[in-house]
Amino acid sequence: MHVVPKVDLSASLVVFLVALPLCVGVAVASGVPAELGLVTGIVGGLVAGVLPGSSLQVSGPAAGLTVLVYEAVQTYGLRALGVLVFGAGVVQVGLGALRLGRWFRAVSVAVVQGMLAGIGLVLIAGQLYAMGDAAAPASGIGKIAGLFSLGGDADPVALVVGGGTVLVLVLWPRWRRGARVVPAPLPAVGLASAATGLLDLSVRRVGVHGLLDAVRPPAVADLGRLTEVGVIGTVLAFALIASAESLFSAAAVDRLHRGPRTDYDRELIAQGAGNAVCGVLGALPMTAVIVRSAANVQAGARTKASRVLHGVWLLVFTALLPGVLGVIPVAALAGLLVHAGCKLVPVRELGVLWREHRGEFVVLVVTAVAIVVGNLFEGVLVGLALAVAKTAWDISHVHVETEDLGDVGLVVRVMGNATFLRLPKLLDALEALPHDRDVRLELGGLRHVDHACAAALEGWAAARGHACPEGWAAGRGHALTGAPPAVTP
C-alpha cells in the first residue's frame, strides 16, 4: 500500500484552499454555474493529475480562458460547451501523440505575454462591472469605454465588498507567517462572505444549482455541431491557447524545483485527456495554472500525490458542502479575478522590452490591443502574424559594400539575406553606382536570395549590358561562389 508523504498531504490542502475560490470565480466569470468550475478542478486533479507529464503542476479552470469561454457560451449556448471542450481535448491528445508539444516552446514569448495581457485587460474590465453588481457590455472595447460611466450604475455596497477583497489579496501576503499557512484567496473571499452575512448586505451571491443539475453531458446529436465552421474555429482556439498556457506554465514550474523535468508531449496528452473528460461532463476547459502550481511547489510537494489529493478535497467539498457556495458574494469573486487579471499584465517586462527589444514590445502591445478590440482568437492570430513578419524583417539584412580599385573599376559585394523586404534598399544602392565606371558585382556573400531579389539583380545587370550566368541563384546563394563577369556600361 502506497503511503502519501506528509509533505504532499499538507501541500494538497494548500492547493485546495487556493483552487476552491478560483474554480468558483472562473466559472461565474465565464457565465456558467459555479459547480462546473469545481468539476473541472476535480478532473484536473483526478485525471490529469495521475497521468505522466509534469509531476508538480496543477490543472483546473484558468482565468486565461475566461474571456473565450464566455464568448463561446454567449454564441453557441451552455449546452454546446461540452462539445467544444471535448473537441479541444481530442485535438490536444492528437498534438501530443504527434510529438508536437515541444513546438509550443517556439511561439514568441511576446505573443504569449501579449495574449495574457489582452486577456487580463478584458478580464479586469469585465469583472469591475461584476464588482459593482452591474451589467457589462458584450465587447472588450465596450467594457473599457463603459468604465467611465460605471460609477452611476454600480452598487456602492458591492463595490466596497469587491474592493475589500482586492485589498486583502494585496496585503495578506505581507503577513508572511499567515500567508505560509493560509493562501490569500481563501481569507479574502472568506472575510467578504462573513462580512456580507453578518451585516446582512444586499449584494448578489453565487447561485447554487446542485452538482447533478449543473453537470450536463452533451448528447450524441450535439456532436454534429463539430462540423460547423465557427465551432471548429472555437475548438482550435480552446486547444491551442490551453496548450500554450499549460506548456508555458510547465516551463515556469520546472524552474521552481529540482525534481523531474516536464515531458511536454506527455503533458499535452494529459491535458487533452482531462479536457475530453471535462467535455463529457459539460464542464469548463482546463489548463495547467501557474498560481496553483507555484503554491504546490512552495508548500513543499515532492510527488504528484499532492495534485491528485487536491482533486479529492474538491470532490469531497462539492459533494458534502455545496450550500457553502451560496453565501459567497459575486463581488468578492470579481475582486479575486480583477487581482488575477492584473497579474496577467506584464507591467515590469514592458519597460525592459521598450529599452532593449522595441520590436518585441510592439508585438506584445499589438497582440493585447487586438484581443481587446476584437476577440481572443483573432488577437492571437494577429500577434503570430506580426511576430513572423518581425522575424522575417530581422533576418533580412543585406549589406552592400563598394570598393574603388581605381582604373580597374568598382567592386560591389552584396552580403547577407536578399529578400523582398530589403529589395528597395538593395536597388537603391545598386542604382546609385556611377554609370561611367566598370563594375564587378560579387554575390558570393549572399546566404539566401529569394525570387524577387534574383529577378531584380538580373534586371539590373541586363540594364548595365551584362547577363548573369544561367542558374546563378539556383542554390539560394550557394551557387554564387564566384562573381559574374564584370558589368560594364
Side-chain angles (χ1 to χ4, degrees):
M1 180 178 178
H2 180 71
V3 178
V4 177
K6 289 183 179 180
V7 68
D8 285 327
L9 181 61
S10 61
S12 71
L13 292 172
V14 171
V15 177
F16 161 71
L17 296 176
V18 173
L20 178 59
L22 285 173
C23 287
V24 176
V26 169
V28 173
S30 300
V32 305
E35 291 86 350
L36 292 183
L38 292 170
V39 171
T40 300
I42 294 168
V43 174
L46 300 184
V47 178
V50 301
L51 295 175
S54 177
S55 59
L56 296 182
Q57 77 170 353
V58 183
S59 301
L65 282 174
T66 300
V67 176
L68 187 57
V69 173
Y70 181 84
E71 292 175 353
V73 170
Q74 295 302 309
T75 303
Y76 303 109
L78 180 58
R79 190 169 186 82
L81 180 60
V83 173
L84 297 172
V85 177
F86 175 78
V90 172
V91 171
Q92 286 182 296
V93 171
L95 293 174
L98 293 173
R99 302 184 64 81
L100 298 177
R102 68 195 69 184
W103 288 99
F104 279 88
R105 291 180 290 178
V107 177
S108 168
V109 175
V111 174
V112 176
Q113 290 180 327
M115 178 189 75
L116 295 177
I119 291 169
L121 292 173
V122 176
L123 185 61
I124 292 168
Q127 293 308 300
L128 285 174
Y129 291 89
M131 279 178 62
D133 281 353
S139 66
I141 195 68
K143 290 182 176 71
I144 293 176
L147 292 177
F148 296 101
S149 59
L150 178 59
D153 300 326
D155 181 352
V157 177
L159 281 177
V160 170
V161 172
T165 303
V166 175
L167 187 62
V168 173
L169 288 167
V170 173
L171 296 179
W172 185 265
R174 298 187 180 183
W175 182 31
R176 295 184 178 180
R177 180 177 298 179
R180 282 197 298 266
V181 178
V182 181
L186 189 67
V189 175
L191 289 173
S193 302
T196 301
L198 292 174
L199 300 176
D200 194 23
L201 302 179
S202 57
V203 295
R204 189 159 58 101
R205 292 173 170 79
V206 175
V208 180
H209 306 281
L211 185 61
L212 294 180
D213 293 331
V215 173
R216 296 180 180 178
V220 176
D222 295 330
L223 295 176
R225 303 205 64 175
L226 291 173
T227 60
E228 300 176 20
V229 175
V231 170
I232 293 173
T234 304
V235 166
L236 292 176
F238 274 179
L240 297 178
I241 293 172
S243 300
E245 188 169 344
S246 295
L247 298 182
F248 273 95
S249 172
V253 173
D254 281 349
R255 291 194 293 268
L256 297 178
H257 67 90
R258 297 181 180 179
R261 306 292 91 179
T262 299
D263 183 316
Y264 286 86
D265 297 317
R266 289 185 175 184
E267 178 63 16
L268 195 52
I269 293 174
Q271 295 293 324
N275 271 322
V277 174
C278 287
V280 171
L281 298 175
L284 290 170
M286 57 173 267
T287 73
V289 187
I290 187 61
V291 175
R292 292 167 221 180
S293 303
N296 190 37
V297 174
Q298 292 164 4
R302 294 290 180 268
T303 70
K304 65 175 62 178
S306 60
R307 63 182 189 174
V308 176
L309 283 175
H310 115 276
V312 173
W313 307 141
L314 287 173
L315 177 60
V316 171
F317 174 87
T318 306
L320 300 181
L321 301 170
V324 174
L325 300 179
V327 305
I328 301 176
V330 172
L333 296 176
L336 183 68
L337 291 176
V338 166
H339 184 259
C342 290
K343 290 187 173 183
L344 291 176
V345 181
V347 177
R348 294 180 180 178
E349 286 82 354
L350 287 175
V352 176
L353 288 177
W354 176 252
R355 290 190 300 270
E356 301 178 5
H357 305 282
R358 296 284 174 89
E360 297 294 309
F361 176 89
V362 171
V363 172
L364 190 158
V365 172
V366 170
T367 303
V369 171
I371 290 172
V372 172
V373 174
N375 58 52
L376 185 58
F377 190 49
E378 293 173 356
V380 171
L381 291 180
V382 169
L384 289 173
L386 187 59
V388 171
K390 173 190 169 296
T391 301
W393 178 263
D394 288 343
I395 66 174
S396 298
H397 287 298
V398 171
H399 179 63
V400 181
E401 183 181 279
T402 303
E403 182 180 359
D404 191 341
L405 299 180
D407 295 338
V408 177
L410 301 176
V411 175
V412 179
R413 301 180 182 90
V414 183
M415 297 165 284
N417 297 295
T419 71
F420 71 95
L421 294 173
R422 302 290 183 169
L423 184 56
K425 174 184 177 180
L426 177 60
L427 289 177
D428 287 344
L430 294 176
E431 290 170 359
L433 295 172
H435 287 264
D436 57 351
R437 302 284 303 277
D438 290 339
V439 176
R440 181 179 181 83
L441 187 62
E442 295 185 358
L443 305 174
L446 284 176
R447 296 186 296 273
H448 172 81
V449 184
D450 69 5
H451 180 266
C453 285
L457 287 170
E458 290 172 353
W460 178 86
R464 304 286 295 220
H466 169 72
C468 291
E470 185 177 352
W472 67 271
R476 296 185 181 271
H478 297 295
L480 303 178
T481 53
V487 178
T488 56

